[in-house]
C-alpha cells in the first residue's frame, strides 16, 4: 500500500514539474506575441486560456501533495 502511495506521489511530482515548464513556456510565447502588434489575437487568447488550464492543473496537483491532516 505504501509503495503505491509513494509511486503516486513521485508521479505527481514529475507531472507537476512538467506542467510548470509548459506553463512557463506558454508565458514566454504569450509575452513574445503580445509585443508584436501584428500578432493573431485569437491565438493569444487561446494560449492564455491554455495557460489558465495549466495553472488549474498545477494547483490541483499541489493540493494533492499536501498531506491530509485529518488522517
Amino acid at each position: 500500500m505504501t509503495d503505491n502511495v509513494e509511486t503516486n506521489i513521485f508521479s505527481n511530482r514529475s507531472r507537476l514539474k512538467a506542467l510548470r515548464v509548459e506553463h512557463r513556456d506558454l508565458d514566454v510565447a504569450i509575452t513574445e506575441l503580445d509585443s508584436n502588434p501584428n500578432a493573431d489575437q485569437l491565438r493569444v487568447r487561446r494560449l492564455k486560456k491554455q495557460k489558465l488550464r495549466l495553472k488549474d492543473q498545477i494547483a490541483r496537483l499541489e493540493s494533492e501533495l499536501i498531506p491530509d491532516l485529518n488522517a
Side-chain angles (χ1 to χ4, degrees):
M1 172 96 178
T2 58
D3 289 339
N4 189 23
V5 172
E6 289 174 9
T7 303
N8 194 20
I9 290 172
F10 180 74
S11 174
N12 283 349
R13 286 184 192 267
S14 56
R15 177 74 178 136
L16 185 59
K17 183 178 179 181
L19 288 173
R20 285 180 176 155
V21 168
E22 188 175 349
H23 186 270
R24 185 178 58 239
D25 291 345
L26 275 175
D27 194 36
V28 170
I30 290 168
T31 302
E32 287 178 12
L33 284 172
D34 275 341
S35 68
N36 182 358
N38 298 325
D40 180 10
Q41 292 304 309
L42 179 60
R43 183 172 183 224
V44 172
R45 281 197 308 262
R46 286 180 178 162
L47 290 175
K48 286 181 178 182
K49 285 182 181 181
Q50 184 179 353
K51 185 179 165 191
L52 285 173
R53 282 192 297 269
L54 286 173
K55 183 178 177 183
D56 289 343
Q57 290 177 353
I58 289 168
R60 194 175 314 113
L61 278 175
E62 286 175 339
S63 70
E64 287 177 11
L65 291 174
I66 298 172
D68 188 11
L69 297 177
N70 294 332

